[in-house]
Amino acid sequence: MALFKPLYPILKSRIPHYAVGVVLLIILDLLQFVTPKLMGILTDALYKGTLETSQLLSLASIMVLSAFAMLILRYIWRNLILGSSKHIETWIRSRFFEHLEKLSHTTYLKYKTGDFMNRATNDLSAISQAFGMGIVMLTDSIFLTIFTLIIMTLEIDLRLTLLVIIPMPFLALTLFIFGSIIQKRYTTVQEAFSNLSERVRETYSGIKIIKSFVQEKPFVKYFEEASEENLDAQVKLAKLFGLLFPLIVVISSISSALALYYGGSLVIDGSITPGAFVSFIGYLGLLTWPIMAIGWVINIIERGMASLKRIIEILEIEPDITDGPNTLSLDAISGAIVFQDLTFCYPGSDSPTLSNVSFSLAQGKKLGLIGHTGCGKTTLMELIMRSYTVKNGSLLIDNTSIEVIPLSLLRRSIGYVPQSSVLFSRSISKNIALSNQEMTLEKITHYSKIAALHEDIEDIQHGYDTILGEKGINLSGGQKQRLSIARALAKNPQIVLLDDSFSSVDTQTEEKVLKQLFKEVAEKTVVIASHRVSTLQFCDEIIVLKNGCILQKGTHEALLETDGYYKTLYLKQSLESRLVD
């Protein structure tokens, strides 16, 4: 029951539908006994020679009416039970997706994208099957079996009934043994398929790199390895069912053989009538389906439970970053930032990415970050966004610990442009207006002009209505970065974080954008990380990072007066610029 606890809200709302559906299914099961009963009456009438046309017409009419009744009942219970299973699937998928959005960065480092995709598709389909046809088959297996045995006992012969159920304990033992094995093997199948999905996604995302390095064949082999692993898991599961279902058929066939031999002898010695024997064979045929259904029930329910466990595994992961009991009730932040002796290590790492970092940035000031790759520039910005928890030292915004600022307010107040532009397969206008889908075209155009992107967009056939391809494939690298800048500014944030956001932009366009950007965000707090000195020269203060520590700090002019990393980098880049010119 603990496994179903997360599903209580949707299960509670669907219980009435299931209850009515199961009742109708039980009534339908009872109606299935009409035909064998009538066939028995018909057989006895033929055997005795008393069958009349009126009786034949009456029996045929009852059969037709019962068939129509079963048709209507079957339509209703399918809508109620199978429809409910689809509602449950949709509900779980929505909760699953919502939960994925809440999870912290550390979770996405542990699980692969393909694994999440498989859980949200194949696993949820298996759960839907369990709550749909699994319920139907379970109901049939229980009630149809009970009704059949009662009618066979009361109407035909107790000895004959007891004889045909002798093989049933062997069937129960077989299903018990196979059940746990099926669940384990199905879990292996889902994990293998998750790995296969991830390799497809990874290959598709990196197809340009694969082609440029002429690595098509190695990646085909890489895919085939995962495909073989998936095939092996599928075949092992198929072999299990390949053995299970024949065993069920053999056991049910033994029951039929016993019924035929002993029932025939009872007819011969006059213990039962030929009509009763025909009815018994018909009832036994009805009993065969629930016996067969037990195998499918085990298959569907075990798969569903294995998949449900995989979904619950994700739903039970608590986000590392959440609002705590000490969270303050704040309406806005102004953007003053203070780092105090802050040291940070990524989860699973022993070496700090940032060590004893201390600085203050007043509201409306512009801070530049520079240093070699891996020095901690991106990490510093991630901490300002509270992507990770600060455990050593403190990070203050408006003289308030970032830990007690409402997370939604913090994220809403920050405009972030990452190193790699992340664009969505929507129109250009919707990408720019991501923070507010009701934003007017006038405002969208305003922010695209600040990012020096407006003219580029106008040159595209459909302008702002152009639908971007996968990761904005129909834009250049520089256009992607400028679109990301426009998107961040359109959010109207109090803090703007630009993480090496001009690396694909030429220096002339960069200078143009920076002038317009600084004018637009004159009252905002801005942090810019870059490898170019030219990008940071207009900042109020520049910090040089090395191995996570602050190596130098000061204005552009002050740093040029001091021998060190910054001055050396400036002279090198100035020389490179003159050589290019």
Side-chain angles (χ1 to χ4, degrees), residues 502-520:
F502 297 95
S503 58
S504 299
V505 179
D506 62 85
T507 53
Q508 291 181 339
T509 304
E510 175 190 27
E511 185 177 350
K512 180 181 177 181
V513 174
L514 282 171
K515 286 181 179 179
Q516 296 175 143
L517 186 147
F518 279 170
K519 183 179 179 181
E520 176 72 20

Side-chain angles (χ1 to χ4, degrees), residues 100-130:
L100 289 182
E101 291 186 319
K102 296 175 184 176
L103 294 177
S104 306
H105 286 35
T106 51
T107 303
Y108 288 98
L109 296 175
K110 180 180 177 182
Y111 293 90
K112 296 179 180 179
T113 303
D115 187 25
F116 285 129
M117 291 170 60
N118 187 46
R119 292 176 196 244
T121 52
N122 281 9
D123 280 316
L124 284 175
S125 294
I127 292 171
S128 177
Q129 281 286 314

